[in-house]
Amino acid sequence: MRKLAILDVTIPGDGSPNISQGGRRWHHAFHQTLDLPEALVTGREDIYFGWFYRNYGHRPDVIPDADIAEYLRVYRQPGALRAGFGYYRAIPQDIADNQAISANFKLPMPVLALGGNSAWGRRMEVVESLRRMATDVRGGVIENCGHWMPEEQPAALLEQLLAFFA
């Protein structure tokens, strides 16, 4: 039997009214805008993405500066910004596809759904989202954790993953 783990994201088209939390996750709409994010972020990757790396976690220092530098190096590669923003630009199609599939199908495998409980963590939204999409959902929240679960609470996350996939 196969299993699936989902960490601090919701599923577009799961039946919830807005995966962007009613605009709280403002960057979703910005990233979906064709060409504008590339024009405004190019050459300013450190300012723009650095803000996310320092603000979406439970603590601003959760992602080390050396790791941030590597993420920024990669985002500066040709085509990387467009590819990254492409994830968000695909959300309307993801919503349509997932709605069509989930009308007659639920994921049959066990699903572990975890959200961070602070800062920009999605809390129980992850579990709620997956319950609309799957028949066997387990999970909850990781304490003292925002969006960057593996970096913020590696031991707690590993414990959950090992127990689930055992």
Side-chain angles (χ1 to χ4, degrees), residues 85-106:
F85 295 138
Y87 169 85
Y88 296 89
R89 292 175 184 145
I91 288 174
Q93 186 63 53
D94 291 342
I95 289 171
D97 292 344
N98 289 337
Q99 286 175 338
I101 291 168
S102 66
N104 300 307
F105 175 81
K106 300 289 183 225

Side-chain angles (χ1 to χ4, degrees), residues 3-114:
K3 297 179 178 183
L4 173 67
I6 301 289
L7 304 180
D8 208 60
V9 295
T10 57
I11 307 301
D14 68 357
S16 65
N18 186 328
I19 67 164
S20 299
Q21 297 175 316
R24 180 173 184 249
R25 291 178 185 265
W26 56 269
H27 63 284
H28 289 186
F30 176 63
H31 292 180
Q32 287 176 333
T33 305
L34 189 60
D35 297 328
L36 182 63
E38 290 90 339
L40 295 176
V41 173
T42 298
R44 299 175 188 88
E45 295 88 354
D46 55 336
I47 296 168
Y48 186 70
F49 292 115
W51 182 87
F52 287 98
Y53 298 138
R54 291 180 180 90
N55 285 282
Y56 265 52
H58 178 66
R59 299 182 335 264
D61 63 344
V62 72
I63 300 179
D65 289 339
D67 292 354
I68 292 173
E70 176 60 11
Y71 295 144
L72 296 174
R73 183 192 69 77
V74 171
Y75 268 120
R76 290 183 181 110
Q77 301 301 305
L81 284 176
R82 183 158 304 274
F85 295 138
Y87 169 85
Y88 296 89
R89 292 175 184 145
I91 288 174
Q93 186 63 53
D94 291 342
I95 289 171
D97 292 344
N98 289 337
Q99 286 175 338
I101 291 168
S102 66
N104 300 307
F105 175 81
K106 300 289 183 225
L107 295 172
M109 77 285 286
V111 176
L112 177 65
L114 297 170

